[in-house]
Amino acid sequence: MTNRRSWWSTALGVLLTAVMLFPVYWMVNNSFTRDEDMRGATPSLFPTHGTLDGYRAVLDQQLPYLGTSLVVGIGTVLLTVLVAAPAGYSLAKLRPRAGGLISFLLLIAQMIPGIILAMGFYSIYLRLGLLGSVPGLILADSTLAVPFAVLIFSAFMSGIPDELLQAARVDGAGLIRTFRSIVLPISRNSVVTVSLFAFLWAWSDFVLASTLDGGGVRQPITLGIYHYIGNNNQQWNAIMATAVVASIPATLILVLAQRYVAAGVTTGAVKD
């Protein structure tokens, strides 16, 4: 009975996984399918007349967009960690008087719709001349990532024994050196977790990009894909090929970092 139940559980898991991954397969399939074949009455599960035209379009037209997304993603990661790590350490170990209120406000900040933030940034950037700029987009994307990052860092760093920090102070380490030499190395899992989510948010952002960088010279890949869609021109072959290529960096980073992410979101690499 146990073996039979295990077999059914495995089969159900495989079926659900196949259903969830089918859109990914369909995206890859269409990236090799000619546009005229996609307009047929019966869609094909396999590209009967395979073509690389979509991937040629990626190489010819989308590389600048991919480069911009990479710069924005890395910049967002650096700015997010730079701001959120000290803030999380302060909430976890320095325990400011308004720490509970700050944590509550960080939770509230994550509930604000992105379009509202985009409108606010648009008004500010219009006056500062930052519309269509990469630094402006990095700052906006970091604003979405920082509240989540502070909460992750705070939850993780609260598990660091106070005795370890006190020993560092006894040895003559100041607050900054203790944070840099003791806290950050121990918090490696949370740093990787925050970096991953910040990069994915920046990489996949469309609302802020279309609002703040729609007319800029350097635009992210989400806008590069959007430019293929028009009233009379929908290049689905190129769209799917671009989506496949754009998914590769995020997928590789997620696969490589999943071990650190699992430890980072559960916190507690060090326990009292």
Side-chain angles (χ1 to χ4, degrees):
M1 178 65 90
T2 302
N3 292 334
R4 184 177 180 182
R5 188 174 300 173
S6 176
W7 184 87
W8 276 106
S9 299
T10 302
L12 180 61
V14 171
L15 177 62
L16 294 177
T17 302
V19 171
M20 290 186 292
L21 292 181
F22 182 78
V24 178
Y25 166 75
W26 196 249
M27 178 179 67
V28 176
N29 175 51
N30 285 341
S31 70
F32 292 102
T33 303
R34 299 182 304 179
D35 286 333
E36 54 267 29
D37 294 336
M38 294 184 191
R39 300 186 181 97
T42 303
S44 175
L45 291 176
F46 303 96
T48 54
H49 302 92
T51 178
L52 295 176
D53 289 344
Y55 291 94
R56 293 190 186 98
V58 173
L59 295 177
D60 292 340
Q61 305 169 17
Q62 296 294 333
L63 289 183
Y65 297 101
L66 288 168
T68 299
S69 285
L70 186 62
V71 172
V72 172
I74 294 175
T76 300
V77 169
L78 294 177
L79 183 57
T80 299
V81 173
L82 183 64
V83 173
Y89 175 66
S90 176
L91 290 176
K93 292 303 181 182
L94 302 184
R95 298 180 179 89
R97 292 184 179 180
L101 177 61
I102 294 174
S103 298
F104 177 74
L105 292 177
L106 291 173
L107 288 174
I108 295 298
Q110 296 183 80
M111 302 177 186
I112 301 176
I115 187 62
I116 295 179
L117 292 177
M119 292 298 100
F121 274 113
Y122 182 87
S123 177
I124 296 172
Y125 284 6
L126 183 62
R127 298 178 183 179
L128 297 178
L130 291 176
L131 286 177
S133 67
V134 171
L137 191 55
I138 291 175
L139 179 61
D141 286 331
S142 299
T143 303
L144 294 176
V146 164
F148 170 81
V150 172
L151 294 176
I152 289 292
F153 277 125
S154 177
F156 191 93
M157 293 176 180
S158 63
I160 299 176
D162 292 333
E163 294 79 6
L164 183 61
L165 304 182
Q166 292 172 2
R169 297 190 189 100
V170 170
D171 290 339
L175 184 63
I176 297 178
R177 184 178 177 184
T178 300
F179 173 73
R180 185 181 68 248
S181 302
I182 304 296
V183 176
L184 277 183
I186 292 177
S187 305
R188 179 184 61 178
N189 291 335
S190 59
V191 171
V192 174
T193 301
V194 166
S195 299
L196 174 64
F197 280 99
F199 182 85
L200 293 179
W201 276 330
W203 186 265
S204 61
D205 170 63
F206 177 78
V207 173
L208 290 175
S210 60
T211 304
L212 305 177
D213 203 30
V217 177
R218 302 185 63 187
Q219 299 178 354
I221 189 61
T222 50
L223 294 186
I225 296 175
Y226 183 70
H227 290 333
Y228 280 133
I229 303 176
N231 293 329
N232 301 313
N233 182 27
Q234 295 182 349
Q235 304 176 48
W236 291 112
N237 177 281
I239 290 173
M240 295 302 176
T242 306
V244 171
V245 174
S247 301
I248 292 175
T251 302
L252 290 177
I253 292 174
L254 183 60
V255 170
L256 294 175
Q258 62 179 344
R259 176 167 62 92
Y260 300 100
V261 172
V265 296
T266 55
T267 75
V270 180
K271 292 292 185 181
D272 287 327

